[in-house]
């Protein structure tokens, strides 16, 4: 959570600035000073301000972009598994933050399924301390129940006081409705959201992939979408009575979108997220076919039969579900895109499908997936940046937890910036990931859109090796 102080001014100029918080998508420059945005917008105005600063003796470093490069507020991931403490073989706060920076993220919210579970003041403090050496900002999420066992609430007030920004037992659902009801009641006076991983354990049982024709062909036990929708509907009914803030993690099913739509229409304080993989991939990826929206891009993906890297919880669903969650995102029923970055070691995935761990290492491909989706479906880039930066800051009211506002390029905001080329096509290579988790089903697939530079607190924390900062005129 360190805000790096820069002694000089950084002038990012010549690119296309996309800032949903100002409804801005046109040529725009940015001046960054002392870890904050000094000014942003019209290039002529910014040039005049830069000149004035120069005359006053300021040192200005220029990053000159070609006009097709986009400049946006640094991305914010509301759902990241950093694995530390406890599972440092899968990821550490340090490696996960580096991977996030490579993916264009400048803030991640870390999930509490660590070991020990992030269920005490001391574990929250430990994560915040480790994050001081990280490339980007890490905001911890505290557990709802002790040990994520669903039996006893954590000291939620203490977790909030220590720096927790929300509560979740993610990785495990909150099975008991009474426990969820109590958690919502305790969260209410803290003004912090409860995030649930909606999975009715009685319905899902030992399901390992989406129930459907692909599961039948593979002889694998299905995880029906009703398992998600039913727990979500339970939670929404509780929220209706209690009025607390509630956020549904990684929705995957058409029925979930309808449930959230009705809840929002009824005025409930409910928000929801979807992952890039649930938008773009389908259950056919599990059996080695590139189904869904990304099919034409993934002809060269390395896809063995029984691809355990496509095993994720909730599972990749049908093309119909993927279309429904996309429509939900475009309609604003689903508020944000979150990665559910879930790195694993090789042995967690190099095994039978039943034994393999759930999860995709996704933070380094997230923006590329969204940009590819935007291209294929003609979605404005501003919509994607809003879902991956501006809205996560709003949904989680992150300005309450950071020194300066984030998710925006307004003057006075944190100097967190991502620069990307929406047109550059490249092939995903898992071995190039900075994450310790190389578990991606996209290995070998081609994506359109690449992160070129990430700036956090005014400091360059990631730069693509092939980034030409000063293009020839
Ligand atoms: Zn989850």
């Amino acid at each position: 959570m360190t805000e790096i102080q820069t002694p000089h001014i950084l002038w990012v100029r010549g690119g296309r600035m996309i800032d949903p918080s100002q409804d801005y998508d046109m040529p725009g420059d940015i001046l960054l000073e002392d870890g904050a945005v000094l000014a942003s917008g019209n290039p002529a105005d910014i040039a005049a301000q830069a000149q004035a600063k120069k005359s006053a003796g300021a040192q200005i470093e220029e990053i000159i972009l070609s006009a097709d490069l986009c400049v946006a507020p640094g991305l914010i991931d509301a759902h990241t598994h950093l694995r530390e403490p406890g599972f440092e073989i899968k990821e550490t706060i340090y490696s996960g933050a580096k991977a996030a920076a490579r993916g264009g993220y400048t803030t991640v919210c870390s999930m509490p399924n660590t070991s020990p579970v992030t269920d005490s003041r001391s574990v929250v403090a430990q994560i915040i301390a480790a994050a001081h050496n990280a490339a980007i900002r890490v905001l911890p999420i505290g557990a709802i129940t002790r040990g994520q066992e669903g039996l006893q609430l954590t000291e939620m007030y203490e977790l909030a006081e220590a720096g927790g920004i929300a509560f979740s037992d993610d990785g495990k659902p909150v099975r008991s409705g009474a426990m969820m009801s109590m958690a919502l009641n305790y969260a209410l006076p803290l003004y912090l959201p409860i995030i649930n991983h909606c999975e009715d354990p009685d319905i899902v049982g030992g399901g390992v992939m989406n129930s459907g024709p692909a599961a039948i062909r593979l002889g694998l036990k299905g995880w029906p979408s009703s398992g998600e929708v039913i727990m979500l509907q339970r939670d929404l009914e509780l929220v209706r009575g209690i009025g607390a803030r509630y956020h549904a993690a990684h929705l995957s099913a058409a029925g979930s979108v309808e449930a959230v739509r009705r809840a929002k229409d009824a005025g409930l304080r409910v928000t929801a997220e979807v992952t890039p993989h649930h938008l773009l991939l389908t259950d056919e990826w599990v059996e080695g076919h590139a189904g869904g929206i990304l099919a034409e891009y993934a002809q060269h993906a390395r896809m063995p039969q029984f691809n355990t890297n496509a095993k994720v919880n909730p599972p990749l669903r049908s093309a119909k579900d993927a279309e429904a969650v996309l429509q939900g995102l475009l309609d604003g029923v689903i508020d944000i895109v979150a990665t559910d970055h879930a790195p694993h070691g090789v042995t967690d995935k190099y095994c039978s499908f039943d034994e393999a761990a759930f999860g995709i290492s996704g933070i380094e491909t997230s923006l590329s997936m969204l940009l590819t989706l935007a291209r294929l479906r003609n979605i404005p880039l501003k919509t994607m940046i809003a879902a991956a930066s501006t809205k996560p800051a709003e949904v989680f009211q992150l300005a309450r937890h950071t020194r300066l506002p984030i998710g925006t390029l307004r003057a006075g905001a944190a100097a967190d910036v991502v620069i990307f080329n929406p047109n550059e096509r490249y092939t995903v290579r898992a071995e190039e990931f900075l994450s310790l988790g190389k578990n991606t089903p996209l290995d070998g697939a081609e994506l359109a859109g690449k992160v070129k530079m990430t700036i956090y607190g005014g400091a360059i924390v990631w730069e693509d090796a092939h980034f030409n900062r000063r293009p020839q005129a």
Side-chain angles (χ1 to χ4, degrees), residues 30-74:
I30 312 175
L31 288 178
L32 306 172
E33 183 184 34
D34 285 341
V37 177
L38 183 67
S40 69
N42 182 287
D45 296 346
I46 302 301
Q49 292 199 43
Q51 202 48 54
K53 281 278 176 184
K54 223 180 256 179
S55 306
Q59 283 224 326
I60 298 190
E61 181 188 346
E62 297 180 25
I63 297 176
I64 303 173
L65 307 176
S66 54
D68 60 335
L69 288 190
C70 296
V71 184

mmCIF file of all heavy atoms in Angstrom, residues 30-74:
data_model
loop_
_atom_site.group_PDB
_atom_site.id
_atom_site.type_symbol
_atom_site.label_atom_id
_atom_site.label_comp_id
_atom_site.label_asym_id
_atom_site.label_seq_id
_atom_site.Cartn_x
_atom_site.Cartn_y
_atom_site.Cartn_z
ATOM 1 N N ILE A 30 -1.784 13.351 -19.837
ATOM 2 C CA ILE A 30 -1.855 13.316 -18.368
ATOM 3 C C ILE A 30 -0.538 13.803 -17.786
ATOM 4 O O ILE A 30 0.534 13.442 -18.275
ATOM 5 C CB ILE A 30 -2.095 11.885 -17.847
ATOM 6 C CG1 ILE A 30 -3.236 11.207 -18.606
ATOM 7 C CG2 ILE A 30 -2.414 11.888 -16.368
ATOM 8 C CD1 ILE A 30 -3.417 9.770 -18.203
ATOM 9 N N LEU A 31 -0.624 14.593 -16.742
ATOM 10 C CA LEU A 31 0.552 14.975 -15.958
ATOM 11 C C LEU A 31 0.446 14.315 -14.589
ATOM 12 O O LEU A 31 -0.586 14.423 -13.915
ATOM 13 C CB LEU A 31 0.602 16.498 -15.762
ATOM 14 C CG LEU A 31 0.967 17.372 -16.966
ATOM 15 C CD1 LEU A 31 0.919 18.837 -16.556
ATOM 16 C CD2 LEU A 31 2.344 17.013 -17.516
ATOM 17 N N LEU A 32 1.529 13.633 -14.203
ATOM 18 C CA LEU A 32 1.558 12.963 -12.902
ATOM 19 C C LEU A 32 2.657 13.586 -12.050
ATOM 20 O O LEU A 32 3.792 13.749 -12.510
ATOM 21 C CB LEU A 32 1.843 11.466 -13.090
ATOM 22 C CG LEU A 32 0.908 10.704 -14.050
ATOM 23 C CD1 LEU A 32 1.430 9.298 -14.295
ATOM 24 C CD2 LEU A 32 -0.511 10.673 -13.502
ATOM 25 N N GLU A 33 2.309 13.928 -10.826
ATOM 26 C CA GLU A 33 3.298 14.537 -9.920
ATOM 27 C C GLU A 33 3.045 14.068 -8.495
ATOM 28 O O GLU A 33 1.890 14.051 -8.049
ATOM 29 C CB GLU A 33 3.190 16.069 -9.988
ATOM 30 C CG GLU A 33 4.232 16.784 -9.140
ATOM 31 C CD GLU A 33 4.054 18.307 -9.135
ATOM 32 O OE1 GLU A 33 2.894 18.769 -9.187
ATOM 33 O OE2 GLU A 33 5.056 19.008 -9.076
ATOM 34 N N ASP A 34 4.116 13.712 -7.796
ATOM 35 C CA ASP A 34 4.003 13.309 -6.386
ATOM 36 C C ASP A 34 2.960 12.221 -6.151
ATOM 37 O O ASP A 34 2.200 12.262 -5.190
ATOM 38 C CB ASP A 34 3.637 14.527 -5.512
ATOM 39 C CG ASP A 34 4.830 15.441 -5.302
ATOM 40 O OD1 ASP A 34 5.971 14.973 -5.512
ATOM 41 O OD2 ASP A 34 4.608 16.609 -4.946
ATOM 42 N N GLY A 35 2.924 11.250 -7.060
ATOM 43 C CA GLY A 35 2.014 10.129 -6.859
ATOM 44 C C GLY A 35 0.564 10.425 -7.160
ATOM 45 O O GLY A 35 -0.301 9.593 -6.894
ATOM 46 N N ALA A 36 0.290 11.622 -7.720
ATOM 47 C CA ALA A 36 -1.099 11.986 -8.011
ATOM 48 C C ALA A 36 -1.227 12.501 -9.443
ATOM 49 O O ALA A 36 -0.247 12.909 -10.059
ATOM 50 C CB ALA A 36 -1.584 13.048 -7.028
ATOM 51 N N VAL A 37 -2.463 12.468 -9.943
ATOM 52 C CA VAL A 37 -2.739 13.088 -11.241
ATOM 53 C C VAL A 37 -2.800 14.596 -11.009
ATOM 54 O O VAL A 37 -3.608 15.077 -10.216
ATOM 55 C CB VAL A 37 -4.079 12.591 -11.824
ATOM 56 C CG1 VAL A 37 -4.386 13.308 -13.137
ATOM 57 C CG2 VAL A 37 -4.046 11.079 -12.021
ATOM 58 N N LEU A 38 -1.898 15.315 -11.694
ATOM 59 C CA LEU A 38 -1.897 16.772 -11.576
ATOM 60 C C LEU A 38 -2.969 17.361 -12.493
ATOM 61 O O LEU A 38 -3.703 18.276 -12.104
ATOM 62 C CB LEU A 38 -0.508 17.295 -11.964
ATOM 63 C CG LEU A 38 -0.254 18.788 -11.850
ATOM 64 C CD1 LEU A 38 -0.275 19.214 -10.395
ATOM 65 C CD2 LEU A 38 1.099 19.135 -12.474
ATOM 66 N N ALA A 39 -3.044 16.816 -13.703
ATOM 67 C CA ALA A 39 -4.050 17.277 -14.659
ATOM 68 C C ALA A 39 -4.201 16.219 -15.735
ATOM 69 O O ALA A 39 -3.273 15.450 -15.993
ATOM 70 C CB ALA A 39 -3.626 18.608 -15.282
ATOM 71 N N SER A 40 -5.372 16.173 -16.362
ATOM 72 C CA SER A 40 -5.588 15.248 -17.468
ATOM 73 C C SER A 40 -6.609 15.846 -18.417
ATOM 74 O O SER A 40 -7.425 16.674 -18.003
ATOM 75 C CB SER A 40 -6.090 13.895 -16.951
ATOM 76 O OG SER A 40 -7.404 14.027 -16.435
ATOM 77 N N GLY A 41 -6.512 15.443 -19.687
ATOM 78 C CA GLY A 41 -7.521 15.891 -20.651
ATOM 79 C C GLY A 41 -6.917 16.486 -21.908
ATOM 80 O O GLY A 41 -5.892 16.002 -22.400
ATOM 81 N N ASN A 42 -7.552 17.540 -22.401
ATOM 82 C CA ASN A 42 -7.199 18.187 -23.660
ATOM 83 C C ASN A 42 -5.682 18.407 -23.802
ATOM 84 O O ASN A 42 -5.071 19.084 -22.967
ATOM 85 C CB ASN A 42 -7.932 19.527 -23.735
ATOM 86 C CG ASN A 42 -7.646 20.228 -25.033
ATOM 87 O OD1 ASN A 42 -6.550 20.738 -25.236
ATOM 88 N ND2 ASN A 42 -8.616 20.231 -25.923
ATOM 89 N N PRO A 43 -5.061 17.844 -24.856
ATOM 90 C CA PRO A 43 -3.604 17.919 -24.986
ATOM 91 C C PRO A 43 -3.049 19.344 -24.975
ATOM 92 O O PRO A 43 -1.985 19.590 -24.387
ATOM 93 C CB PRO A 43 -3.342 17.232 -26.335
ATOM 94 C CG PRO A 43 -4.501 16.296 -26.506
ATOM 95 C CD PRO A 43 -5.678 17.003 -25.899
ATOM 96 N N ALA A 44 -3.756 20.297 -25.586
ATOM 97 C CA ALA A 44 -3.252 21.679 -25.614
ATOM 98 C C ALA A 44 -3.218 22.274 -24.205
ATOM 99 O O ALA A 44 -2.235 22.912 -23.802
ATOM 100 C CB ALA A 44 -4.127 22.523 -26.537
ATOM 101 N N ASP A 45 -4.266 22.023 -23.431
ATOM 102 C CA ASP A 45 -4.304 22.526 -22.049
ATOM 103 C C ASP A 45 -3.195 21.909 -21.205
ATOM 104 O O ASP A 45 -2.537 22.591 -20.410
ATOM 105 C CB ASP A 45 -5.649 22.177 -21.386
ATOM 106 C CG ASP A 45 -6.821 22.849 -22.068
ATOM 107 O OD1 ASP A 45 -6.573 23.772 -22.871
ATOM 108 O OD2 ASP A 45 -7.969 22.433 -21.813
ATOM 109 N N ILE A 46 -3.001 20.603 -21.385
ATOM 110 C CA ILE A 46 -1.977 19.913 -20.591
ATOM 111 C C ILE A 46 -0.589 20.406 -20.984
ATOM 112 O O ILE A 46 0.274 20.624 -20.122
ATOM 113 C CB ILE A 46 -2.087 18.375 -20.785
ATOM 114 C CG1 ILE A 46 -3.481 17.890 -20.388
ATOM 115 C CG2 ILE A 46 -1.009 17.651 -19.997
ATOM 116 C CD1 ILE A 46 -3.897 18.160 -18.976
ATOM 117 N N ALA A 47 -0.392 20.642 -22.290
ATOM 118 C CA ALA A 47 0.908 21.152 -22.753
ATOM 119 C C ALA A 47 1.195 22.510 -22.120
ATOM 120 O O ALA A 47 2.330 22.787 -21.703
ATOM 121 C CB ALA A 47 0.917 21.245 -24.276
ATOM 122 N N ALA A 48 0.184 23.344 -22.009
ATOM 123 C CA ALA A 48 0.365 24.670 -21.396
ATOM 124 C C ALA A 48 0.750 24.527 -19.925
ATOM 125 O O ALA A 48 1.657 25.211 -19.431
ATOM 126 C CB ALA A 48 -0.926 25.471 -21.535
ATOM 127 N N GLN A 49 0.091 23.585 -19.234
ATOM 128 C CA GLN A 49 0.418 23.376 -17.812
ATOM 129 C C GLN A 49 1.822 22.816 -17.653
ATOM 130 O O GLN A 49 2.545 23.187 -16.725
ATOM 131 C CB GLN A 49 -0.593 22.414 -17.176
ATOM 132 C CG GLN A 49 -1.985 23.001 -17.069
ATOM 133 C CD GLN A 49 -2.822 22.236 -16.037
ATOM 134 O OE1 GLN A 49 -2.334 21.899 -14.959
ATOM 135 N NE2 GLN A 49 -4.077 21.992 -16.368
ATOM 136 N N ALA A 50 2.190 21.900 -18.572
ATOM 137 C CA ALA A 50 3.538 21.325 -18.520
ATOM 138 C C ALA A 50 4.578 22.418 -18.744
ATOM 139 O O ALA A 50 5.617 22.454 -18.063
ATOM 140 C CB ALA A 50 3.676 20.223 -19.564
ATOM 141 N N GLN A 51 4.298 23.307 -19.673
ATOM 142 C CA GLN A 51 5.230 24.400 -19.974
ATOM 143 C C GLN A 51 5.399 25.297 -18.761
ATOM 144 O O GLN A 51 6.521 25.690 -18.411
ATOM 145 C CB GLN A 51 4.700 25.208 -21.178
ATOM 146 C CG GLN A 51 5.768 25.997 -21.905
ATOM 147 C CD GLN A 51 7.016 25.151 -22.209
ATOM 148 O OE1 GLN A 51 6.937 24.080 -22.803
ATOM 149 N NE2 GLN A 51 8.179 25.630 -21.754
ATOM 150 N N ALA A 52 4.294 25.586 -18.097
ATOM 151 C CA ALA A 52 4.344 26.437 -16.900
ATOM 152 C C ALA A 52 5.192 25.781 -15.814
ATOM 153 O O ALA A 52 5.999 26.436 -15.141
ATOM 154 C CB ALA A 52 2.929 26.696 -16.388
ATOM 155 N N LYS A 53 5.018 24.460 -15.655
ATOM 156 C CA LYS A 53 5.801 23.722 -14.653
ATOM 157 C C LYS A 53 7.285 23.743 -15.006
ATOM 158 O O LYS A 53 8.148 23.879 -14.136
ATOM 159 C CB LYS A 53 5.302 22.268 -14.575
ATOM 160 C CG LYS A 53 4.026 22.115 -13.776
ATOM 161 C CD LYS A 53 4.353 22.055 -12.287
ATOM 162 C CE LYS A 53 3.083 21.993 -11.461
ATOM 163 N NZ LYS A 53 3.393 22.038 -10.015
ATOM 164 N N LYS A 54 7.544 23.590 -16.318
ATOM 165 C CA LYS A 54 8.935 23.578 -16.789
ATOM 166 C C LYS A 54 9.593 24.926 -16.503
ATOM 167 O O LYS A 54 10.719 24.993 -16.032
ATOM 168 C CB LYS A 54 8.955 23.280 -18.297
ATOM 169 C CG LYS A 54 10.034 22.283 -18.718
ATOM 170 C CD LYS A 54 10.013 22.016 -20.224
ATOM 171 C CE LYS A 54 9.386 20.685 -20.545
ATOM 172 N NZ LYS A 54 9.333 20.389 -21.996
ATOM 173 N N SER A 55 8.848 25.980 -16.781
ATOM 174 C CA SER A 55 9.366 27.330 -16.539
ATOM 175 C C SER A 55 9.661 27.538 -15.058
ATOM 176 O O SER A 55 10.569 28.279 -14.687
ATOM 177 C CB SER A 55 8.354 28.390 -16.992
ATOM 178 O OG SER A 55 7.991 28.152 -18.332
ATOM 179 N N ALA A 56 8.886 26.869 -14.214
ATOM 180 C CA ALA A 56 9.086 26.996 -12.767
ATOM 181 C C ALA A 56 10.198 26.077 -12.272
ATOM 182 O O ALA A 56 10.432 25.969 -11.072
ATOM 183 C CB ALA A 56 7.781 26.692 -12.039
ATOM 184 N N GLY A 57 10.860 25.371 -13.226
ATOM 185 C CA GLY A 57 12.023 24.568 -12.851
ATOM 186 C C GLY A 57 11.762 23.094 -12.646
ATOM 187 O O GLY A 57 12.660 22.362 -12.215
ATOM 188 N N ALA A 58 10.564 22.630 -12.934
ATOM 189 C CA ALA A 58 10.255 21.209 -12.718
ATOM 190 C C ALA A 58 10.946 20.345 -13.779
ATOM 191 O O ALA A 58 11.112 20.770 -14.921
ATOM 192 C CB ALA A 58 8.757 20.992 -12.771
ATOM 193 N N GLN A 59 11.354 19.154 -13.361
ATOM 194 C CA GLN A 59 11.894 18.170 -14.302
ATOM 195 C C GLN A 59 10.730 17.373 -14.866
ATOM 196 O O GLN A 59 9.937 16.823 -14.105
ATOM 197 C CB GLN A 59 12.809 17.217 -13.544
ATOM 198 C CG GLN A 59 14.159 17.801 -13.230
ATOM 199 C CD GLN A 59 15.258 16.789 -13.522
ATOM 200 O OE1 GLN A 59 15.044 15.608 -13.349
ATOM 201 N NE2 GLN A 59 16.398 17.252 -13.969
ATOM 202 N N ILE A 60 10.642 17.332 -16.185
ATOM 203 C CA ILE A 60 9.523 16.610 -16.788
ATOM 204 C C ILE A 60 10.028 15.480 -17.667
ATOM 205 O O ILE A 60 10.825 15.692 -18.576
ATOM 206 C CB ILE A 60 8.626 17.559 -17.600
ATOM 207 C CG1 ILE A 60 8.030 18.632 -16.672
ATOM 208 C CG2 ILE A 60 7.523 16.780 -18.303
ATOM 209 C CD1 ILE A 60 6.957 19.484 -17.301
ATOM 210 N N GLU A 61 9.582 14.270 -17.342
ATOM 211 C CA GLU A 61 9.890 13.115 -18.188
ATOM 212 C C GLU A 61 8.682 12.858 -19.073
ATOM 213 O O GLU A 61 7.558 12.772 -18.577
ATOM 214 C CB GLU A 61 10.179 11.887 -17.313
ATOM 215 C CG GLU A 61 10.529 10.653 -18.127
ATOM 216 C CD GLU A 61 10.625 9.371 -17.285
ATOM 217 O OE1 GLU A 61 10.691 9.484 -16.044
ATOM 218 O OE2 GLU A 61 10.608 8.287 -17.879
ATOM 219 N N GLU A 62 8.928 12.772 -20.383
ATOM 220 C CA GLU A 62 7.812 12.592 -21.307
ATOM 221 C C GLU A 62 7.720 11.139 -21.765
ATOM 222 O O GLU A 62 8.724 10.525 -22.084
ATOM 223 C CB GLU A 62 7.976 13.495 -22.531
ATOM 224 C CG GLU A 62 7.947 14.964 -22.174
ATOM 225 C CD GLU A 62 8.107 15.860 -23.396
ATOM 226 O OE1 GLU A 62 7.776 15.413 -24.513
ATOM 227 O OE2 GLU A 62 8.571 16.994 -23.225
ATOM 228 N N ILE A 63 6.527 10.622 -21.775
ATOM 229 C CA ILE A 63 6.255 9.329 -22.404
ATOM 230 C C ILE A 63 5.356 9.644 -23.594
ATOM 231 O O ILE A 63 4.180 9.987 -23.422
ATOM 232 C CB ILE A 63 5.566 8.363 -21.426
ATOM 233 C CG1 ILE A 63 6.507 8.075 -20.248
ATOM 234 C CG2 ILE A 63 5.170 7.074 -22.130
ATOM 235 C CD1 ILE A 63 5.899 7.199 -19.174
ATOM 236 N N ILE A 64 5.958 9.579 -24.782
ATOM 237 C CA ILE A 64 5.215 9.985 -25.977
ATOM 238 C C ILE A 64 4.639 8.746 -26.646
ATOM 239 O O ILE A 64 5.359 7.800 -26.967
ATOM 240 C CB ILE A 64 6.138 10.747 -26.956
ATOM 241 C CG1 ILE A 64 6.760 11.956 -26.237
ATOM 242 C CG2 ILE A 64 5.359 11.185 -28.183
ATOM 243 C CD1 ILE A 64 7.812 12.681 -27.039
ATOM 244 N N LEU A 65 3.339 8.747 -26.832
ATOM 245 C CA LEU A 65 2.645 7.568 -27.354
ATOM 246 C C LEU A 65 2.190 7.811 -28.784
ATOM 247 O O LEU A 65 1.893 8.946 -29.166
ATOM 248 C CB LEU A 65 1.416 7.265 -26.494
ATOM 249 C CG LEU A 65 1.653 7.142 -24.982
ATOM 250 C CD1 LEU A 65 0.320 6.948 -24.277
ATOM 251 C CD2 LEU A 65 2.603 5.999 -24.679
ATOM 252 N N SER A 66 2.102 6.719 -29.542
ATOM 253 C CA SER A 66 1.435 6.834 -30.838
ATOM 254 C C SER A 66 -0.070 6.929 -30.585
ATOM 255 O O SER A 66 -0.567 6.480 -29.540
ATOM 256 C CB SER A 66 1.785 5.646 -31.730
ATOM 257 O OG SER A 66 1.514 4.441 -31.066
ATOM 258 N N ALA A 67 -0.788 7.505 -31.545
ATOM 259 C CA ALA A 67 -2.189 7.883 -31.303
ATOM 260 C C ALA A 67 -3.105 6.683 -31.058
ATOM 261 O O ALA A 67 -4.180 6.824 -30.483
ATOM 262 C CB ALA A 67 -2.705 8.711 -32.473
ATOM 263 N N ASP A 68 -2.665 5.482 -31.490
ATOM 264 C CA ASP A 68 -3.551 4.322 -31.296
ATOM 265 C C ASP A 68 -3.384 3.687 -29.921
ATOM 266 O O ASP A 68 -4.123 2.772 -29.558
ATOM 267 C CB ASP A 68 -3.312 3.284 -32.410
ATOM 268 C CG ASP A 68 -1.884 2.782 -32.431
ATOM 269 O OD1 ASP A 68 -0.988 3.524 -31.952
ATOM 270 O OD2 ASP A 68 -1.654 1.665 -32.929
ATOM 271 N N LEU A 69 -2.421 4.167 -29.127
ATOM 272 C CA LEU A 69 -2.273 3.619 -27.776
ATOM 273 C C LEU A 69 -3.280 4.272 -26.844
ATOM 274 O O LEU A 69 -3.523 5.477 -26.908
ATOM 275 C CB LEU A 69 -0.852 3.849 -27.253
ATOM 276 C CG LEU A 69 0.256 3.007 -27.884
ATOM 277 C CD1 LEU A 69 1.545 3.161 -27.101
ATOM 278 C CD2 LEU A 69 -0.125 1.532 -27.944
ATOM 279 N N CYS A 70 -3.873 3.459 -25.984
ATOM 280 C CA CYS A 70 -4.885 3.950 -25.052
ATOM 281 C C CYS A 70 -4.283 4.143 -23.668
ATOM 282 O O CYS A 70 -3.442 3.356 -23.225
ATOM 283 C CB CYS A 70 -6.046 2.961 -24.957
ATOM 284 S SG CYS A 70 -6.927 2.765 -26.506
ATOM 285 N N VAL A 71 -4.755 5.171 -22.982
ATOM 286 C CA VAL A 71 -4.326 5.489 -21.626
ATOM 287 C C VAL A 71 -5.571 5.496 -20.754
ATOM 288 O O VAL A 71 -6.546 6.190 -21.064
ATOM 289 C CB VAL A 71 -3.662 6.881 -21.589
ATOM 290 C CG1 VAL A 71 -3.131 7.177 -20.203
ATOM 291 C CG2 VAL A 71 -2.558 6.982 -22.626
ATOM 292 N N ALA A 72 -5.551 4.712 -19.687
ATOM 293 C CA ALA A 72 -6.749 4.574 -18.853
ATOM 294 C C ALA A 72 -6.336 4.496 -17.383
ATOM 295 O O ALA A 72 -5.165 4.250 -17.078
ATOM 296 C CB ALA A 72 -7.522 3.311 -19.264
ATOM 297 N N PRO A 73 -7.293 4.698 -16.476
ATOM 298 C CA PRO A 73 -6.958 4.516 -15.056
ATOM 299 C C PRO A 73 -6.521 3.075 -14.803
ATOM 300 O O PRO A 73 -7.069 2.143 -15.400
ATOM 301 C CB PRO A 73 -8.254 4.854 -14.315
ATOM 302 C CG PRO A 73 -9.344 4.806 -15.342
ATOM 303 C CD PRO A 73 -8.701 5.114 -16.654
ATOM 304 N N GLY A 74 -5.534 2.881 -13.937
ATOM 305 C CA GLY A 74 -5.061 1.542 -13.613
ATOM 306 C C GLY A 74 -6.224 0.644 -13.228
ATOM 307 O O GLY A 74 -7.176 1.079 -12.576
#
